[in-house]
Amino acid sequence: MYAMWSAPNTKSRTNGIEINLSTNNGATWLDTPHALGLQDADIHQPALAVDKNNALVLVYNFGVKDETFFQVSTDQGVTWSDQKAIPGLFAANPATGNDYFAVATDSAGKVHLIAVGRKSKDQTAPGVYHVVWDGTSWSKPQELYQQ
């Protein structure tokens, strides 16, 4: 079981996240949570899921960038992959703090992300989109709602 929250990162002096782990259904937790902070800007609207490979998948907006980003950890949050953009999914124009995410993992271990955002940098009004992480890559964004 994982718990995640926003927290200042002392190394990068930006707002990042901390993740804690319990291997006994919440009876005990790690003494020191794992921290992730990026050097350039704050992590906004972080969402965390566990995929079919038991990897952590972290989705977030970053500073005021257009893209929506993700990183993967295969060691329970100790280390993370490089930051990458989710192909074809962009934050609202630019990220405003209202680009919330919902995540769920289905019975096959696929991570489903519902995101407020855009399909391209040129799109002016945000919509609601669905993308799926299959353990190696993201699906093309499916539009659920557009003004």
Side-chain angles (χ1 to χ4, degrees), residues 12 29 45 50 66 82 86 93 95 102 112 117 122-123 130 133:
S12 65
W29 295 84
Q45 295 89 24
V50 180
D66 274 320
D82 290 338
I86 296 176
N93 190 10
H112 296 260
D122 299 329
Q123 182 179 331
H130 172 240
W133 172 256

Side-chain angles (χ1 to χ4, degrees), residues 32-133:
T32 304
H34 302 304
L36 174 64
L38 303 174
Q39 294 297 324
D40 301 339
D42 295 339
I43 292 175
H44 298 289
Q45 295 89 24
L48 184 70
V50 180
D51 74 8
K52 67 182 179 182
N53 303 315
N54 284 326
L56 296 177
V57 181
L58 175 67
V59 175
Y60 56 90
N61 286 324
F62 174 62
V64 292
K65 304 271 186 194
D66 274 320
E67 294 82 1
T68 296
F69 294 93
F70 78 101
Q71 288 180 257
V72 176
S73 174
T74 58
D75 57 10
Q76 301 176 325
V78 176
T79 62
W80 292 88
S81 66
D82 290 338
Q83 177 188 60
K84 293 182 183 174
I86 296 176
L89 184 62
F90 297 86
N93 190 10
T96 62
N98 295 319
D99 312 347
Y100 295 105
F101 304 117
V103 292
T105 304
D106 67 21
S107 60
K110 293 181 179 179
V111 175
H112 296 260
L113 171 69
I114 306 296
V116 173
R118 301 171 294 147
K119 288 193 299 186
S120 74
K121 289 183 179 185
D122 299 329
Q123 182 179 331
T124 55
V128 179
Y129 298 93
H130 172 240
V131 293
V132 179
W133 172 256

Side-chain angles (χ1 to χ4, degrees), residues 123-147:
Q123 182 179 331
T124 55
V128 179
Y129 298 93
H130 172 240
V131 293
V132 179
W133 172 256
D134 66 5
T136 59
S137 63
W138 291 98
S139 68
K140 181 179 176 184
Q142 175 189 14
E143 186 174 276
L144 303 178
Y145 172 79
Q146 176 65 47
Q147 288 182 312

